[in-house]
Amino acid sequence: MSTAFQHLFNKTDVVEGGVYEEKTLAPLTLLRADIHVSVVQYCARIRVTFTYRNDLSSAANVIFVFPVEDEWTISGFQAQLAGRIVTGGIKQRPHLHKEFREGALAASLADKVNPGESVVTHVWFLTALEDHTTLNSPELSLVIPPTLLPKPVEQERTDWQKSFTLAQQKAMNKVLCISVECTMDELIDSAASANHKMLLKRDGTSASGVFEKEFGPNDCITLDTEFRLQLILKAAVDVMKVAVVKEIQPTDDAFTYALSIPIVPNVAKENNIVNTEVFFVVDCSGSMQGYTEVVERTVKLCLQGLPSTAKFNVVLFGDSVLMFDEAGAQQYTQDNLLWARAFVHHLKADMGGTDLYQALKAVYNSPITRGYCRQVFVISDSPVNKPCELMPMVMHASNYTRLFLFSTNPHPADKPALKTLANLSRGRTIFFDKGNVNTLTERMLNLLHDALQPALTNVTVTYKYENSGFNHFSQVESQEPPIQNTVPTLPLLFSGSKYVLYAFASDKMGHHPVVTLSAWIGDKHMSWNYHITDLTNARISNSEAGTPDDISVTHAFAAIERIRALTEFNTKSAITAQEKVEVVRLSCSFGIISPYTGYHTTTTYQNAGRRIPNGETDADRNEVALEYSYVLPRHERNTAKIDKVRPDVIVQRKSLKQEKDPDDIVLAKPKKQTTFEFCGDIVKYLIDLMCRSPTIDNVIFAQSALGNWEMGSAFSRAIDVPFHLLITSMPNIGEDTVVVVPSIIERDRQLEEDTRKAEELVAQQKREEHEKAIKRAEFQHKKQKRLREERMKLGDEDANAAEEQERRRAEEEAAKAQKAREREEKERREREKEAEKEKKKREAERRKLVKKLGEDAVRAQQQAELKRQQEEEERKRKEEEAAIKRQEDMRLMWEKQERTKYLQNIWATAIALAYLQLEYAAKQYEYHLAVQRALHWLQETQLVAVIDWPQQAAAFLRPILNHRHHLLQIESAAKAEAKERAQREIRDKIAAEEAARRQAEEEKQNQLEAEQRALREEQAAQDVYSSEEETVDSRRTALQQQREEELAAQQVDEEVEEEPAIAVEEGADEEQEEDAAEVDEHIEGEEGDEGEGEGDEGEVDEEEEHDDGSGEEEEE
């Protein structure tokens, strides 16, 4: 797993499930989701199979992320991609527990997936069914949340997808399939899924069904609502029932059988007493202002509703604790009830701060009556303070105390801790907001009614054999069978509620064991027995097939309970070495992670003739980011912090006694940073890691604490050189070369130390025995001396009496010794008689066989038996020799691996020194400490040829770095050319835009000039029209005057010529009419020319000339 990936998914980010590209975290497309639910008894194993496809445009190194709920326990992981299978497994941690992000499994699959290729992942996890059992209605449920499926992400289709035909795309529908198989010991009355239409077929104690839904090629696979499986069983008749599961080939004989024992107490009416001490713990701190009236009313009503056989007490707390009676719970009498109601009367929120731990500590330290249980009802708005002390206290007292929390207006961040605190004692948590706090009374009374049931206290489950049974393993009747409960103590068991106990049994368990449940109800002791009649009817499981589906679910849940009981639920101050070995054995046997084991992946290749990428082997192990699901909070000292993402700055330290020494260096104190600078540094480092840039920080960060560089994928990524090139370039070291490997020396030293300690232990035992013998002899000597002194002090009669008493005691001891010798002699003679009788019996049987088969046949049979015994002895001898040889081969193989690893680390150190010298010669002050540590470590290797290795490493790295620099130069040149081309294009674009702007301005200027010219022409035309109107009027006036003059002349002529007066007058009238008509036509023509448009000046002049001509003609 890459460093960037570890840091990115380390308790800081919200992780969505799916398969992602390792650098950019781009998700792959989910094509199919198969969820198989296998319910056995009261627990379930769920196998989730996802099929992904790489729809990205290029090949990608992928990582897999799977969300893990708090109630889930991962039991298996497998991925199939690119011709290899990545399988998850449990391995003991070589280091202190490293804390990963809770709620997620993150694994690096470390291989390229080409576009269009598929990745298939399998995840197995275990979870317990939610129990809603009442006395007459056993009901179980299982919930699969929608967050199990990856979040839908819209993706752009790449070129290879576009090349598909429409028919092919339609054929690739996405599918969601959920299958369910249930196997119970009780009859299944009902099995259904309320939120999804699933038809479950029931067959007595089993049920099965399938839900399937198809999605379009462009749709995302989603689960709209949670999948809830509900099982209703027939009402239980027996208080206790035992189901036994057997492993055919267990990894450890101590775990051959696993027992699940569901216990549902059904207390008879004559024993139906409420043996409960009820404690009401009320928060009276200042933050409860406004809730005191409701709380007071609730407590008073609850006190009034207690049964007469119950006991009670009231505790008020803030930053101090005040109890109604510090002696403990009081009997329910009328006087005590009145005093308790007066104690909570006029309740006030005036007790300062809130300290829930001190209040519960006072309650848990109060004495409790034998046969009674304690139920604590807490009303507070306080969060869980001091969780490291409070939660273990509640958990360790769960066998006699149950806790109920009523939290008013809690902060969302405090709710998980409050729920965990109540669940540790099998209690409940109820939250109230400001709007529904008035319902506190009703809900608390209902819960009190349900909680006040007869309880089994001091519960024990023991095992024995029936008196009529025969244990053929031990040859002794009524011996205790080899069965061990997974938990040391059982919690409180209430009438009608169910509890499932798990246990392990070895392969030496005989037939007909009896399970006995013992408990107290008040002052009455009760017990129930269950007879396991025949182990041959036990369910069979075979885990040798290698998949988590083959491991018994009962065995796995028993292992989970046992691991939790030995680690975080352990009541001892520290876990012992034997318990730690058992935890590791359970974890590795059943694939359950523990605080002392980690989850690792093993990669195997399907094609034997493949080329291994990056120098990886057939079994590459990588740690998976999977956190053991803790219930109790941990102290900081019990976990290891994540490695620093950035090394501290190295500076020189000034010596007070001498001048500055370049080799004397320390880590500088970090300088103060603002939040913005700190976040900026983190973002920069994350970007560097995701881009895999070979910075000096990455190189120095890859150095181990011992001063050397460990050869591995992290180191190869740090210097950006393929791993297989580093391996193949290592100098050849012959097998005959002496290499001092520190791990082998440490192993030999440890063996010598163990041998020395064993010899010292034997010598110590001998010395102790010798000292004991000396002390016994001294004691006898002192005793005899004291007796002699006492005899000397006594008189003659007393001395004689003492001597007579001593003589009688000696005679009695001699008689006892004689009887013992006679008894031994008699037993010896009886054994000899039995041996003689057996010999005679065998001789008689032999004579019968000789008589029946003949001497030769019997002799041949005896020889065959002798030969078989010899062959058996020879086989055992060969097995012992083979075991010794295997151990020797394993030792040699381990030494060879350690030698190879040590040489690889030496070569990696030389490579790192050469790399730093070639790449970062100008930054010596930054890696000075790393170089000094590396040189010092190289000198301690005591390898002669190591002096020349840095020069060889430099010769090896120089062409690679030169090639890289050449590629970087080409890339930079290409980038510069692209930049220049882009700038040139931008300049051309700017020039084109400037030309277009100028052209637009010119066109606009021309348009303005044309508009101005048109306006001038229009003004000129208007001026011409007005002048033409003036000319016509003047001409008409002149014609009218001329006509008047002509008329006047005609009148003069009439006076001269009187005779033709009538004729002349008529001719004048006609001429006058014709002249008037011509004038009107001329005026109308000019007006028509002006209506059609503006004429030019030439036309006007011609009209004027025409008018003048016509006028002249008229005058003529």
Side-chain angles (χ1 to χ4, degrees), residues 704-860:
S704 67
L706 298 177
N708 68 321
W709 272 271
E710 296 180 357
M711 182 73 77
S713 57
F715 175 72
S716 64
R717 286 196 298 269
I719 65 174
D720 198 18
V721 177
F723 186 79
H724 67 280
L725 291 180
L726 296 178
I727 296 296
T728 55
S729 63
M730 191 173 68
N732 186 16
I733 300 296
E735 295 292 337
D736 55 346
T737 304
V738 178
V739 180
V740 181
V741 182
S743 58
I744 298 177
I745 296 176
E746 179 65 21
R747 192 273 315 269
D748 296 339
R749 189 195 63 78
Q750 189 66 32
L751 291 176
E752 292 177 358
E753 184 71 17
D754 295 341
T755 304
R756 185 183 60 79
K757 288 182 179 179
E759 293 175 353
E760 289 180 355
L761 182 61
V762 173
Q764 180 69 18
Q765 291 176 354
K766 289 182 179 179
R767 285 195 300 270
E768 291 177 355
E769 291 177 358
H770 182 65
E771 290 175 358
K772 288 180 180 179
I774 294 173
K775 288 181 180 179
R776 283 195 298 268
E778 291 177 352
F779 177 75
Q780 293 295 333
H781 178 70
K782 290 180 180 179
K783 182 178 180 182
Q784 294 295 332
K785 183 178 179 182
R786 188 170 61 253
L787 288 175
R788 287 193 302 270
E789 291 176 353
E790 289 178 354
R791 287 175 186 173
M792 292 174 64
K793 293 178 182 179
L794 296 174
D796 295 338
E797 295 180 358
D798 295 335
N800 293 333
E803 289 179 357
E804 184 65 23
Q805 185 178 1
E806 185 69 22
R807 185 181 59 79
R808 284 197 301 269
R809 185 165 58 250
E811 289 177 355
E812 290 177 357
E813 291 178 355
K816 288 182 180 178
Q818 182 63 27
K819 288 182 181 179
R821 286 194 297 271
E822 291 176 356
R823 186 168 56 253
E824 290 178 357
E825 183 65 23
K826 184 179 179 180
E827 291 177 354
R828 185 184 63 79
R829 287 196 299 270
E830 288 179 355
R831 286 196 298 271
E832 290 178 354
K833 288 181 181 179
E834 290 291 336
E836 186 67 25
K837 190 184 295 184
E838 186 68 23
K839 183 178 180 181
K840 290 180 180 180
K841 184 178 179 182
R842 289 197 299 270
E843 188 65 26
E845 290 178 354
R846 185 179 182 280
R847 285 196 298 271
K848 288 180 181 180
L849 288 173
V850 170
K851 185 177 179 180
K852 184 177 180 180
L853 302 176
E855 184 69 25
D856 297 337
V858 175
R859 188 179 296 108

Side-chain angles (χ1 to χ4, degrees), residues 189-222:
D189 193 14
S190 174
S193 175
N195 298 338
H196 297 78
K197 296 180 180 179
M198 174 183 285
L199 180 61
L200 290 169
K201 298 180 180 180
R202 291 182 289 110
D203 185 11
T205 59
S206 62
S208 61
V210 177
F211 168 78
E212 190 169 346
K213 183 178 180 180
E214 289 191 1
F215 298 84
N218 299 327
D219 298 333
C220 297
I221 300 178
T222 57

Side-chain angles (χ1 to χ4, degrees), residues 18 101 191 211 237 255 373 398 521 532 546 658 747 755 881:
R101 185 194 186 281
F211 168 78
V237 178
F255 311 136
C373 69
S398 62
I521 299 182
I532 303 176
Q658 58 184 2
R747 192 273 315 269
T755 304
E881 292 177 356

Side-chain angles (χ1 to χ4, degrees), residues 345-370:
H345 190 60
H346 294 309
L347 201 65
K348 295 181 180 180
D350 56 355
M351 295 185 67
T354 307
D355 194 347
L356 180 62
Y357 171 69
Q358 294 298 333
L360 290 180
K361 184 178 179 180
V363 172
Y364 278 73
N365 289 337
S366 63
I368 186 170
T369 308
R370 179 182 177 182

Side-chain angles (χ1 to χ4, degrees), residues 275 312 517 614 636 735 833 839 893 1002 1051 1080:
N275 54 332
F312 70 93
L517 172 66
N614 296 331
E636 294 296 329
E735 295 292 337
K833 288 181 181 179
K839 183 178 180 181
M893 184 181 298
E1002 292 178 356
Q1051 290 178 359
D1080 293 334

Side-chain angles (χ1 to χ4, degrees), residues 1047-1076:
L1047 290 176
Q1050 289 178 3
Q1051 290 178 359
V1052 172
D1053 292 338
E1054 287 177 356
E1055 291 179 355
V1056 177
E1057 296 178 2
E1058 294 178 354
E1059 293 182 357
I1062 299 173
V1064 173
E1065 195 170 337
E1066 291 178 356
D1069 293 335
E1070 291 177 358
E1071 289 178 359
Q1072 186 177 0
E1073 290 177 0
E1074 289 176 0
D1075 292 336

